[in-house]
Amino acid sequence: DRALHVATHLGRAEHATSGRLAPLGLELARGEQLLADAVAALKPRVPFAFLSACETGEGTFVDAQGLQGLARALLDAGTRDLLVTLWPVQDQAARDFALAFHRELAQGVPPSACAARARAELRDAGWPSSEWAAFRALGAD
């Protein structure tokens, strides 16, 4: 299966270009951003995406539709499983989580179980809950 793993920072545009999606984006080279509405237009249909950047689960709340941001753009495009963060985490904690997650994924473990095991590994290593609890798996497994 194909997968997408993006390790960067979350950026915020000054103005939304879409009425529905939050003006959030992944920071790219030379200060460019890939905003949520651009992700929606690209329709990247991958079985799994890991957005390793702070607050990638964030969005604008739209009544009865939930949060509208990068995560929603990927899920709407057909991404079956997605891993996001709910708040900022330290770079080393994010690295440790990603290594533990991908080690499990390589063994054929479903993404939601990989996330649970990686959170437990960080907790057992002494990381505070503010670091390991930020990671959330979304989707269907």
Side-chain angles (χ1 to χ4, degrees):
D1 281 344
R2 297 176 305 137
L4 172 67
H5 184 124
V6 179
T8 186
H9 296 282
L10 185 73
R12 289 168 177 72
E14 289 187 27
H15 302 289
T17 55
S18 168
R20 180 175 69 98
L21 297 171
L24 303 171
L26 299 170
E27 291 187 7
L28 305 176
R30 294 180 293 283
E32 295 182 41
Q33 292 181 342
L34 179 61
L35 296 176
D37 62 344
V39 171
L42 290 171
K43 296 182 173 81
R45 190 177 183 132
V46 293
F48 174 72
F50 187 144
L51 300 180
S52 186
C54 294
E55 301 173 294
T56 52
E58 183 180 320
T60 300
F61 184 77
V62 177
D63 190 37
Q65 295 180 36
L67 288 176
Q68 304 292 307
L70 286 167
R72 185 59 176 259
L74 283 162
L75 292 170
D76 285 353
T79 298
R80 187 180 65 234
D81 293 296
L82 181 62
L83 194 99
V84 298
T85 58
L86 301 178
W87 56 78
V89 296
Q90 293 179 35
D91 288 345
Q92 187 62 46
R95 179 185 178 278
D96 291 354
F97 181 90
L99 290 171
F101 181 91
H102 284 294
R103 187 172 45 253
E104 295 293 326
L105 194 63
Q107 299 300 315
V109 176
S112 62
C114 292
R117 292 178 186 180
R119 282 191 301 268
E121 189 171 313
L122 263 66
R123 184 182 59 244
D124 294 347
W127 284 101
S129 60
S130 60
E131 301 304 322
W132 54 262
F135 296 94
R136 285 290 166 249
L138 308 172
D141 258 4

